Amino acid sequence: MKSHTNYLWFETKARRDLVNVTDEVEGTVRKSGVQEGLCLVSAMHITAAIWVNDNESGLWQDFWEWLEGLAPFKADYRHHRTGEDNGDAHLKRSLVHHQVVLPVTAGRLDLGPWEQVFYAEFDGQRRKRVVVKVIGE
Amino acid sequence: MKSHTNYLWFETKARRDLVNVTDEVEGTVRKSGVQEGLCLVSAMHITAAIWVNDNESGLWQDFWEWLEGLAPFKADYRHHRTGEDNGDAHLKRSLVHHQVVLPVTAGRLDLGPWEQVFYAEFDGQRRKRVVVKVIGE
Amino acid sequence: MKSHTNYLWFETKARRDLVNVTDEVEGTVRKSGVQEGLCLVSAMHITAAIWVNDNESGLWQDFWEWLEGLAPFKADYRHHRTGEDNGDAHLKRSLVHHQVVLPVTAGRLDLGPWEQVFYAEFDGQRRKRVVVKVIGE
């Protein structure tokens, strides 16, 4: 069995952002030498998520509006008694889910025709990590 | 390490549908010869999901009503400027999550007593795929 | 390839509860002898979930209020015609997602600085299981 671990670092300029990481994940798979296996992509900070969806800017705006409706930024989360103001970011991560497992087939990410992998940042402007771990052979 | 990959094809008659795929996934595991490992089941189209829950038709109706409330079908998604009308389907996939990883123990899916695996179609009536990938030994 | 499977049992006193299982999962990883691999943690009952987030009690209260708003406990779910009263628990599981895959690196759970693993019980006061499966080498 082979395994390979890579950490992607992010420091987004905006507080909320989507970053397409498909090429970086694909590069990690190539480097691993794994032909058949699984590739975990997981946000290590609890105010970010991984989202596999369409590379279409209109949809991204729909996604943000929808998230804001279901897990709104607001002042009165109990979590804010700790001095934080990012309660909404914890809930947005819970809604979207913070990770995906991608199949690796014939040495490549085995994605659907429109599947792209996004890092979803809900509380950015500081350095945060995503772990990419490939196992297989 | 062994690995085996299978693609399940769907073309549902209804636009929205739940299809129980437990037997097909179990068949893929058997074919793989894997005794101990993991089985990824992932919807490759970005308007479908995988749902592990109860084989009970009342719950399915609750599930659909609930999804429609939280990610409603409506005209004015920005994504529709591309000519699509399935913005809700992208969001429903995000809510339910598009994939699961099932444990394989002693050559079988290691599911709980009422766990069944469903393909959740949010924009059907055309051919779409799910990847099933088993790794282990 | 090595693999190791463990089942965690729960019987919470409260109907809804969060149980920090990070240490038990870490113990399972240690016992597996796996140095590099993946660890699946999955709730086997369809009214429970796994949540990776902050070990902060204010956030837990925010989490419960938020879940109750989006998937409320109420009498009139169709699922209740079966005699059950836990329709909300099935939906809460769907929202949070019922499982996570944790990376194992150098023989340890490779978690972010504040990531903790919680069993989220939505219909407790009876014995229920979580499967923990580690594969790797």
Side-chain angles (χ1 to χ4, degrees):
Chain A
M1 206 201 76
K2 284 175 184 166
S3 72
H4 181 65
T5 309
N6 188 18
Y7 302 94
L8 310 180
W9 285 92
F10 300 89
E11 186 171 358
T12 61
K13 281 182 193 168
R15 179 148 187 183
R16 298 182 183 80
D17 210 354
L18 284 174
V19 183
N20 192 328
V21 296
T22 313
D23 287 349
E24 279 174 288
V25 175
E26 185 82 55
T28 301
V29 168
R30 209 176 304 119
K31 213 167 176 180
S32 74
V34 168
Q35 293 297 304
E36 300 292 326
L38 299 177
C39 173
L40 172 69
V41 184
S42 192
M44 301 182 83
H45 290 251
I46 51 193
T47 49
I50 304 294
W51 186 55
V52 173
N53 220 297
D54 204 350
N55 199 19
E56 199 278 297
S57 62
L59 179 68
W60 302 341
Q61 289 180 271
D62 295 329
F63 174 74
W64 285 112
E65 273 189 22
W66 175 71
L67 275 180
E68 200 53 40
L70 294 186
F73 181 77
K74 58 180 187 177
D76 66 343
Y77 288 113
R78 284 191 188 82
H79 182 51
H80 296 174
R81 294 179 191 166
T82 63
E84 296 282 358
D85 67 346
N86 61 5
D88 70 303
H90 290 268
L91 302 180
K92 286 177 171 95
R93 163 182 164 106
S94 305
L95 187 60
V96 175
H97 205 51
H98 65 284
Q99 60 175 205
V100 296
V101 175
L102 306 171
V104 177
T105 304
R108 301 289 306 271
L109 287 179
D110 194 356
L111 296 173
W114 300 282
E115 283 190 318
Q116 296 279 295
V117 187
F118 294 93
Y119 173 67
E121 175 63 84
F122 305 126
D123 185 29
Q125 299 168 326
R126 51 201 175 102
R127 276 170 65 74
K128 293 165 77 171
R129 276 196 305 170
V130 166
V131 56
V132 182
K133 183 141 202 151
V134 191
I135 71 167
E137 71 172 10
Chain B
M1 206 201 76
K2 284 174 183 166
S3 73
H4 181 65
T5 308
N6 189 18
Y7 302 92
L8 309 180
W9 285 92
F10 300 89
E11 186 170 358
T12 61
K13 281 182 192 168
R15 180 148 186 183
R16 297 181 184 81
D17 209 354
L18 283 174
V19 184
N20 191 329
V21 296
T22 314
D23 288 348
E24 279 174 288
V25 175
E26 184 81 57
T28 301
V29 168
R30 209 176 305 122
K31 211 168 178 182
S32 75
V34 168
Q35 294 296 304
E36 299 293 326
L38 298 176
C39 173
L40 172 69
V41 185
S42 191
M44 301 181 83
H45 291 251
I46 51 193
T47 49
I50 305 294
W51 187 54
V52 173
N53 220 298
D54 206 348
N55 199 19
E56 199 278 298
S57 62
L59 180 68
W60 302 342
Q61 288 181 271
D62 294 330
F63 174 75
W64 286 113
E65 273 188 23
W66 175 70
L67 276 180
E68 199 55 38
L70 294 186
F73 181 77
K74 57 179 188 178
D76 65 343
Y77 288 113
R78 285 191 186 81
H79 182 50
H80 296 176
R81 294 179 191 166
T82 62
E84 296 281 359
D85 68 347
N86 60 6
D88 70 303
H90 290 268
L91 302 180
K92 287 178 170 94
R93 163 181 165 108
S94 306
L95 187 60
V96 175
H97 204 52
H98 67 282
Q99 60 174 204
V100 296
V101 175
L102 306 171
V104 177
T105 304
R108 301 290 305 271
L109 287 179
D110 195 356
L111 296 174
W114 300 281
E115 284 190 318
Q116 297 277 297
V117 187
F118 294 93
Y119 173 67
E121 175 62 84
F122 305 126
D123 185 28
Q125 299 168 324
R126 51 201 175 101
R127 277 170 64 75
K128 292 164 77 170
R129 275 196 307 169
V130 166
V131 56
V132 182
K133 183 141 204 149
V134 190
I135 72 166
E137 69 173 12
Chain C
M1 206 200 77
K2 284 174 183 166
S3 72
H4 180 66
T5 309
N6 189 18
Y7 302 93
L8 310 180
W9 285 92
F10 300 89
E11 185 170 357
T12 61
K13 282 182 192 167
R15 180 149 187 181
R16 296 182 184 80
D17 210 353
L18 283 174
V19 184
N20 191 329
V21 296
T22 314
D23 288 348
E24 280 173 287
V25 175
E26 184 81 56
T28 301
V29 168
R30 211 176 303 121
K31 212 167 175 181
S32 75
V34 167
Q35 294 297 304
E36 299 293 325
L38 299 177
C39 173
L40 172 68
V41 184
S42 191
M44 301 183 83
H45 290 252
I46 51 191
T47 49
I50 304 295
W51 187 55
V52 173
N53 220 296
D54 205 348
N55 198 19
E56 199 278 297
S57 62
L59 180 69
W60 302 341
Q61 288 181 270
D62 295 330
F63 174 73
W64 286 112
E65 273 188 23
W66 175 71
L67 275 181
E68 199 54 39
L70 294 186
F73 181 77
K74 58 178 188 178
D76 66 342
Y77 288 113
R78 284 191 187 82
H79 182 50
H80 295 175
R81 294 180 191 166
T82 63
E84 296 280 359
D85 68 345
N86 61 6
D88 69 303
H90 290 269
L91 302 180
K92 286 178 170 94
R93 164 182 164 106
S94 305
L95 187 60
V96 175
H97 205 51
H98 66 283
Q99 61 175 204
V100 296
V101 175
L102 306 171
V104 177
T105 304
R108 300 291 305 271
L109 287 179
D110 195 357
L111 296 173
W114 301 280
E115 283 190 317
Q116 296 278 295
V117 187
F118 294 93
Y119 173 66
E121 175 63 84
F122 306 127
D123 184 28
Q125 299 168 327
R126 50 200 176 103
R127 276 169 66 74
K128 293 165 77 171
R129 276 197 305 171
V130 166
V131 56
V132 182
K133 184 142 205 151
V134 190
I135 72 167
E137 70 172 12

mmCIF file of all heavy atoms in Angstrom, chain C residues 1-34:
data_model
loop_
_atom_site.group_PDB
_atom_site.id
_atom_site.type_symbol
_atom_site.label_atom_id
_atom_site.label_comp_id
_atom_site.label_asym_id
_atom_site.label_seq_id
_atom_site.Cartn_x
_atom_site.Cartn_y
_atom_site.Cartn_z
ATOM 1 N N MET C 1 -1.483 -4.529 3.986
ATOM 2 C CA MET C 1 -2.479 -3.605 4.550
ATOM 3 C C MET C 1 -3.001 -4.138 5.877
ATOM 4 O O MET C 1 -3.259 -5.306 6.025
ATOM 5 C CB MET C 1 -3.661 -3.466 3.576
ATOM 6 C CG MET C 1 -4.403 -2.154 3.695
ATOM 7 S SD MET C 1 -6.084 -2.255 2.995
ATOM 8 C CE MET C 1 -6.959 -3.140 4.300
ATOM 9 N N LYS C 2 -3.118 -3.235 6.846
ATOM 10 C CA LYS C 2 -3.723 -3.594 8.126
ATOM 11 C C LYS C 2 -5.139 -3.028 8.195
ATOM 12 O O LYS C 2 -5.443 -2.003 7.583
ATOM 13 C CB LYS C 2 -2.921 -2.952 9.274
ATOM 14 C CG LYS C 2 -1.618 -3.622 9.583
ATOM 15 C CD LYS C 2 -0.852 -2.811 10.636
ATOM 16 C CE LYS C 2 0.506 -3.449 10.894
ATOM 17 N NZ LYS C 2 1.388 -2.527 11.633
ATOM 18 N N SER C 3 -5.982 -3.687 8.972
ATOM 19 C CA SER C 3 -7.296 -3.107 9.254
ATOM 20 C C SER C 3 -7.689 -3.471 10.675
ATOM 21 O O SER C 3 -7.250 -4.481 11.228
ATOM 22 C CB SER C 3 -8.343 -3.608 8.270
ATOM 23 O OG SER C 3 -8.650 -4.955 8.537
ATOM 24 N N HIS C 4 -8.520 -2.619 11.262
ATOM 25 C CA HIS C 4 -8.982 -2.871 12.624
ATOM 26 C C HIS C 4 -10.358 -2.230 12.766
ATOM 27 O O HIS C 4 -10.574 -1.101 12.318
ATOM 28 C CB HIS C 4 -7.997 -2.263 13.630
ATOM 29 C CG HIS C 4 -8.406 -2.491 15.047
ATOM 30 N ND1 HIS C 4 -8.455 -3.744 15.618
ATOM 31 C CD2 HIS C 4 -8.808 -1.634 16.010
ATOM 32 C CE1 HIS C 4 -8.846 -3.638 16.871
ATOM 33 N NE2 HIS C 4 -9.064 -2.373 17.139
ATOM 34 N N THR C 5 -11.276 -2.976 13.371
ATOM 35 C CA THR C 5 -12.654 -2.494 13.510
ATOM 36 C C THR C 5 -13.053 -2.504 14.975
ATOM 37 O O THR C 5 -12.791 -3.475 15.689
ATOM 38 C CB THR C 5 -13.624 -3.401 12.716
ATOM 39 O OG1 THR C 5 -13.125 -3.536 11.389
ATOM 40 C CG2 THR C 5 -15.018 -2.808 12.670
ATOM 41 N N ASN C 6 -13.676 -1.430 15.410
ATOM 42 C CA ASN C 6 -14.133 -1.311 16.784
ATOM 43 C C ASN C 6 -15.550 -0.728 16.770
ATOM 44 O O ASN C 6 -15.888 0.064 15.899
ATOM 45 C CB ASN C 6 -13.177 -0.378 17.546
ATOM 46 C CG ASN C 6 -13.448 -0.355 19.036
ATOM 47 O OD1 ASN C 6 -14.102 -1.246 19.576
ATOM 48 N ND2 ASN C 6 -12.966 0.667 19.695
ATOM 49 N N TYR C 7 -16.362 -1.160 17.710
ATOM 50 C CA TYR C 7 -17.715 -0.616 17.828
ATOM 51 C C TYR C 7 -17.833 0.098 19.169
ATOM 52 O O TYR C 7 -17.557 -0.501 20.215
ATOM 53 C CB TYR C 7 -18.756 -1.736 17.718
ATOM 54 C CG TYR C 7 -18.641 -2.505 16.420
ATOM 55 C CD1 TYR C 7 -17.865 -3.666 16.339
ATOM 56 C CD2 TYR C 7 -19.274 -2.059 15.264
ATOM 57 C CE1 TYR C 7 -17.735 -4.353 15.148
ATOM 58 C CE2 TYR C 7 -19.145 -2.745 14.066
ATOM 59 C CZ TYR C 7 -18.375 -3.893 14.012
ATOM 60 O OH TYR C 7 -18.237 -4.575 12.820
ATOM 61 N N LEU C 8 -18.216 1.360 19.119
ATOM 62 C CA LEU C 8 -18.455 2.125 20.349
ATOM 63 C C LEU C 8 -19.948 2.057 20.655
ATOM 64 O O LEU C 8 -20.787 2.252 19.765
ATOM 65 C CB LEU C 8 -18.042 3.592 20.166
ATOM 66 C CG LEU C 8 -16.645 3.852 19.595
ATOM 67 C CD1 LEU C 8 -16.415 5.372 19.476
ATOM 68 C CD2 LEU C 8 -15.574 3.215 20.440
ATOM 69 N N TRP C 9 -20.280 1.788 21.913
ATOM 70 C CA TRP C 9 -21.684 1.708 22.339
ATOM 71 C C TRP C 9 -22.053 2.943 23.152
ATOM 72 O O TRP C 9 -21.257 3.429 23.956
ATOM 73 C CB TRP C 9 -21.897 0.462 23.204
ATOM 74 C CG TRP C 9 -21.926 -0.808 22.420
ATOM 75 C CD1 TRP C 9 -20.879 -1.639 22.141
ATOM 76 C CD2 TRP C 9 -23.083 -1.406 21.813
ATOM 77 N NE1 TRP C 9 -21.305 -2.716 21.410
ATOM 78 C CE2 TRP C 9 -22.654 -2.602 21.194
ATOM 79 C CE3 TRP C 9 -24.442 -1.049 21.737
ATOM 80 C CZ2 TRP C 9 -23.521 -3.446 20.498
ATOM 81 C CZ3 TRP C 9 -25.308 -1.884 21.048
ATOM 82 C CH2 TRP C 9 -24.852 -3.061 20.437
ATOM 83 N N PHE C 10 -23.260 3.403 22.950
ATOM 84 C CA PHE C 10 -23.760 4.573 23.666
ATOM 85 C C PHE C 10 -25.165 4.291 24.198
ATOM 86 O O PHE C 10 -25.958 3.617 23.540
ATOM 87 C CB PHE C 10 -23.845 5.791 22.731
ATOM 88 C CG PHE C 10 -22.526 6.163 22.150
ATOM 89 C CD1 PHE C 10 -22.095 5.605 20.962
ATOM 90 C CD2 PHE C 10 -21.695 7.045 22.819
ATOM 91 C CE1 PHE C 10 -20.855 5.920 20.436
ATOM 92 C CE2 PHE C 10 -20.452 7.368 22.291
ATOM 93 C CZ PHE C 10 -20.039 6.798 21.103
ATOM 94 N N GLU C 11 -25.436 4.831 25.375
ATOM 95 C CA GLU C 11 -26.815 4.891 25.859
ATOM 96 C C GLU C 11 -26.912 6.174 26.678
ATOM 97 O O GLU C 11 -26.658 6.178 27.887
ATOM 98 C CB GLU C 11 -27.176 3.665 26.708
ATOM 99 C CG GLU C 11 -28.646 3.683 27.094
ATOM 100 C CD GLU C 11 -29.123 2.374 27.728
ATOM 101 O OE1 GLU C 11 -28.331 1.419 27.832
ATOM 102 O OE2 GLU C 11 -30.303 2.333 28.118
ATOM 103 N N THR C 12 -27.230 7.262 25.981
ATOM 104 C CA THR C 12 -27.211 8.573 26.645
ATOM 105 C C THR C 12 -28.423 8.708 27.563
ATOM 106 O O THR C 12 -29.500 8.183 27.286
ATOM 107 C CB THR C 12 -27.227 9.714 25.604
ATOM 108 O OG1 THR C 12 -28.412 9.621 24.829
ATOM 109 C CG2 THR C 12 -26.016 9.638 24.683
ATOM 110 N N LYS C 13 -28.225 9.423 28.658
ATOM 111 C CA LYS C 13 -29.322 9.665 29.607
ATOM 112 C C LYS C 13 -30.338 10.648 29.019
ATOM 113 O O LYS C 13 -31.535 10.524 29.227
ATOM 114 C CB LYS C 13 -28.766 10.229 30.924
ATOM 115 C CG LYS C 13 -28.153 9.146 31.803
ATOM 116 C CD LYS C 13 -27.642 9.707 33.128
ATOM 117 C CE LYS C 13 -26.782 8.645 33.829
ATOM 118 N NZ LYS C 13 -26.008 9.198 34.940
ATOM 119 N N ALA C 14 -29.838 11.635 28.314
ATOM 120 C CA ALA C 14 -30.721 12.623 27.681
ATOM 121 C C ALA C 14 -31.121 12.118 26.289
ATOM 122 O O ALA C 14 -30.425 11.311 25.674
ATOM 123 C CB ALA C 14 -29.999 13.965 27.564
ATOM 124 N N ARG C 15 -32.244 12.601 25.830
ATOM 125 C CA ARG C 15 -32.677 12.234 24.474
ATOM 126 C C ARG C 15 -31.724 12.787 23.421
ATOM 127 O O ARG C 15 -31.465 12.153 22.407
ATOM 128 C CB ARG C 15 -34.093 12.762 24.229
ATOM 129 C CG ARG C 15 -34.589 12.413 22.848
ATOM 130 C CD ARG C 15 -36.065 12.221 22.774
ATOM 131 N NE ARG C 15 -36.443 11.726 21.450
ATOM 132 C CZ ARG C 15 -37.683 11.479 21.077
ATOM 133 N NH1 ARG C 15 -38.683 11.654 21.926
ATOM 134 N NH2 ARG C 15 -37.946 11.036 19.861
ATOM 135 N N ARG C 16 -31.243 14.026 23.656
ATOM 136 C CA ARG C 16 -30.284 14.633 22.718
ATOM 137 C C ARG C 16 -29.007 14.939 23.470
ATOM 138 O O ARG C 16 -29.042 15.520 24.553
ATOM 139 C CB ARG C 16 -30.868 15.925 22.137
ATOM 140 C CG ARG C 16 -32.119 15.674 21.311
ATOM 141 C CD ARG C 16 -32.691 16.924 20.685
ATOM 142 N NE ARG C 16 -33.934 16.564 19.994
ATOM 143 C CZ ARG C 16 -35.118 16.400 20.613
ATOM 144 N NH1 ARG C 16 -35.211 16.600 21.919
ATOM 145 N NH2 ARG C 16 -36.187 16.043 19.918
ATOM 146 N N ASP C 17 -27.880 14.581 22.878
ATOM 147 C CA ASP C 17 -26.619 14.770 23.589
ATOM 148 C C ASP C 17 -25.446 14.783 22.607
ATOM 149 O O ASP C 17 -25.533 14.228 21.510
ATOM 150 C CB ASP C 17 -26.418 13.614 24.582
ATOM 151 C CG ASP C 17 -25.613 14.039 25.812
ATOM 152 O OD1 ASP C 17 -25.098 15.172 25.831
ATOM 153 O OD2 ASP C 17 -25.507 13.231 26.747
ATOM 154 N N LEU C 18 -24.374 15.426 23.037
ATOM 155 C CA LEU C 18 -23.097 15.370 22.318
ATOM 156 C C LEU C 18 -22.094 14.660 23.221
ATOM 157 O O LEU C 18 -21.948 15.036 24.386
ATOM 158 C CB LEU C 18 -22.570 16.772 22.013
ATOM 159 C CG LEU C 18 -23.216 17.549 20.869
ATOM 160 C CD1 LEU C 18 -22.659 18.973 20.832
ATOM 161 C CD2 LEU C 18 -22.975 16.860 19.526
ATOM 162 N N VAL C 19 -21.409 13.656 22.688
ATOM 163 C CA VAL C 19 -20.405 12.914 23.451
ATOM 164 C C VAL C 19 -19.068 13.023 22.727
ATOM 165 O O VAL C 19 -18.970 12.654 21.544
ATOM 166 C CB VAL C 19 -20.799 11.427 23.591
ATOM 167 C CG1 VAL C 19 -19.802 10.684 24.467
ATOM 168 C CG2 VAL C 19 -22.216 11.280 24.141
ATOM 169 N N ASN C 20 -18.065 13.538 23.398
ATOM 170 C CA ASN C 20 -16.731 13.664 22.799
ATOM 171 C C ASN C 20 -16.077 12.282 22.753
ATOM 172 O O ASN C 20 -15.808 11.676 23.784
ATOM 173 C CB ASN C 20 -15.879 14.637 23.630
ATOM 174 C CG ASN C 20 -14.595 15.018 22.925
ATOM 175 O OD1 ASN C 20 -14.029 14.220 22.166
ATOM 176 N ND2 ASN C 20 -14.124 16.238 23.161
ATOM 177 N N VAL C 21 -15.832 11.767 21.535
ATOM 178 C CA VAL C 21 -15.282 10.416 21.367
ATOM 179 C C VAL C 21 -13.850 10.440 20.836
ATOM 180 O O VAL C 21 -13.323 9.408 20.417
ATOM 181 C CB VAL C 21 -16.169 9.562 20.427
ATOM 182 C CG1 VAL C 21 -17.545 9.357 21.054
ATOM 183 C CG2 VAL C 21 -16.293 10.174 19.034
ATOM 184 N N THR C 22 -13.225 11.606 20.861
ATOM 185 C CA THR C 22 -11.882 11.744 20.271
ATOM 186 C C THR C 22 -10.904 10.738 20.871
ATOM 187 O O THR C 22 -10.159 10.069 20.134
ATOM 188 C CB THR C 22 -11.351 13.186 20.461
ATOM 189 O OG1 THR C 22 -12.383 14.108 20.120
ATOM 190 C CG2 THR C 22 -10.119 13.431 19.598
ATOM 191 N N ASP C 23 -10.902 10.620 22.194
ATOM 192 C CA ASP C 23 -9.944 9.722 22.847
ATOM 193 C C ASP C 23 -10.202 8.252 22.485
ATOM 194 O O ASP C 23 -9.263 7.486 22.270
ATOM 195 C CB ASP C 23 -9.996 9.887 24.372
ATOM 196 C CG ASP C 23 -9.376 11.205 24.828
ATOM 197 O OD1 ASP C 23 -8.710 11.871 23.996
ATOM 198 O OD2 ASP C 23 -9.565 11.587 25.995
ATOM 199 N N GLU C 24 -11.468 7.874 22.428
ATOM 200 C CA GLU C 24 -11.782 6.490 22.080
ATOM 201 C C GLU C 24 -11.380 6.175 20.634
ATOM 202 O O GLU C 24 -10.908 5.083 20.339
ATOM 203 C CB GLU C 24 -13.279 6.215 22.266
ATOM 204 C CG GLU C 24 -13.648 5.948 23.722
ATOM 205 C CD GLU C 24 -15.142 5.839 23.929
ATOM 206 O OE1 GLU C 24 -15.802 6.895 23.862
ATOM 207 O OE2 GLU C 24 -15.639 4.718 24.148
ATOM 208 N N VAL C 25 -11.591 7.137 19.749
ATOM 209 C CA VAL C 25 -11.188 6.918 18.351
ATOM 210 C C VAL C 25 -9.663 6.848 18.266
ATOM 211 O O VAL C 25 -9.101 5.973 17.593
ATOM 212 C CB VAL C 25 -11.764 8.018 17.431
ATOM 213 C CG1 VAL C 25 -11.237 7.858 16.011
ATOM 214 C CG2 VAL C 25 -13.287 7.991 17.451
ATOM 215 N N GLU C 26 -9.002 7.742 18.977
ATOM 216 C CA GLU C 26 -7.524 7.726 19.014
ATOM 217 C C GLU C 26 -7.023 6.376 19.551
ATOM 218 O O GLU C 26 -6.052 5.807 19.026
ATOM 219 C CB GLU C 26 -7.032 8.874 19.913
ATOM 220 C CG GLU C 26 -5.535 9.053 19.986
ATOM 221 C CD GLU C 26 -4.958 9.838 18.798
ATOM 222 O OE1 GLU C 26 -5.395 10.962 18.535
ATOM 223 O OE2 GLU C 26 -4.067 9.293 18.118
ATOM 224 N N GLY C 27 -7.679 5.860 20.585
ATOM 225 C CA GLY C 27 -7.312 4.562 21.135
ATOM 226 C C GLY C 27 -7.470 3.440 20.121
ATOM 227 O O GLY C 27 -6.646 2.517 20.051
ATOM 228 N N THR C 28 -8.515 3.514 19.323
ATOM 229 C CA THR C 28 -8.740 2.505 18.279
ATOM 230 C C THR C 28 -7.634 2.567 17.235
ATOM 231 O O THR C 28 -7.152 1.535 16.752
ATOM 232 C CB THR C 28 -10.121 2.722 17.620
ATOM 233 O OG1 THR C 28 -11.129 2.626 18.631
ATOM 234 C CG2 THR C 28 -10.382 1.690 16.543
ATOM 235 N N VAL C 29 -7.233 3.778 16.881
ATOM 236 C CA VAL C 29 -6.136 3.944 15.909
ATOM 237 C C VAL C 29 -4.850 3.332 16.466
ATOM 238 O O VAL C 29 -4.144 2.587 15.768
ATOM 239 C CB VAL C 29 -5.929 5.437 15.565
ATOM 240 C CG1 VAL C 29 -4.628 5.658 14.806
ATOM 241 C CG2 VAL C 29 -7.119 5.960 14.766
ATOM 242 N N ARG C 30 -4.563 3.610 17.737
ATOM 243 C CA ARG C 30 -3.346 3.080 18.354
ATOM 244 C C ARG C 30 -3.357 1.547 18.316
ATOM 245 O O ARG C 30 -2.389 0.916 17.934
ATOM 246 C CB ARG C 30 -3.223 3.580 19.786
ATOM 247 C CG ARG C 30 -1.780 3.740 20.245
ATOM 248 C CD ARG C 30 -1.695 4.339 21.652
ATOM 249 N NE ARG C 30 -2.361 5.617 21.747
ATOM 250 C CZ ARG C 30 -3.387 5.920 22.566
ATOM 251 N NH1 ARG C 30 -3.863 5.008 23.402
ATOM 252 N NH2 ARG C 30 -3.924 7.119 22.562
ATOM 253 N N LYS C 31 -4.500 0.986 18.681
ATOM 254 C CA LYS C 31 -4.648 -0.473 18.731
ATOM 255 C C LYS C 31 -4.490 -1.104 17.345
ATOM 256 O O LYS C 31 -4.054 -2.252 17.213
ATOM 257 C CB LYS C 31 -6.033 -0.810 19.285
ATOM 258 C CG LYS C 31 -6.065 -2.094 20.086
ATOM 259 C CD LYS C 31 -7.359 -2.214 20.872
ATOM 260 C CE LYS C 31 -7.417 -3.561 21.580
ATOM 261 N NZ LYS C 31 -8.688 -3.710 22.325
ATOM 262 N N SER C 32 -4.863 -0.365 16.304
ATOM 263 C CA SER C 32 -4.799 -0.902 14.929
ATOM 264 C C SER C 32 -3.373 -1.087 14.454
ATOM 265 O O SER C 32 -3.126 -1.866 13.533
ATOM 266 C CB SER C 32 -5.526 0.043 13.964
ATOM 267 O OG SER C 32 -4.733 1.203 13.706
ATOM 268 N N GLY C 33 -2.446 -0.344 15.047
ATOM 269 C CA GLY C 33 -1.069 -0.393 14.576
ATOM 270 C C GLY C 33 -0.841 0.330 13.255
ATOM 271 O O GLY C 33 0.264 0.325 12.726
ATOM 272 N N VAL C 34 -1.887 0.951 12.718
ATOM 273 C CA VAL C 34 -1.760 1.663 11.444
ATOM 274 C C VAL C 34 -0.968 2.952 11.660
ATOM 275 O O VAL C 34 -1.270 3.729 12.568
ATOM 276 C CB VAL C 34 -3.153 1.968 10.840
ATOM 277 C CG1 VAL C 34 -3.044 2.967 9.693
ATOM 278 C CG2 VAL C 34 -3.821 0.683 10.376
#
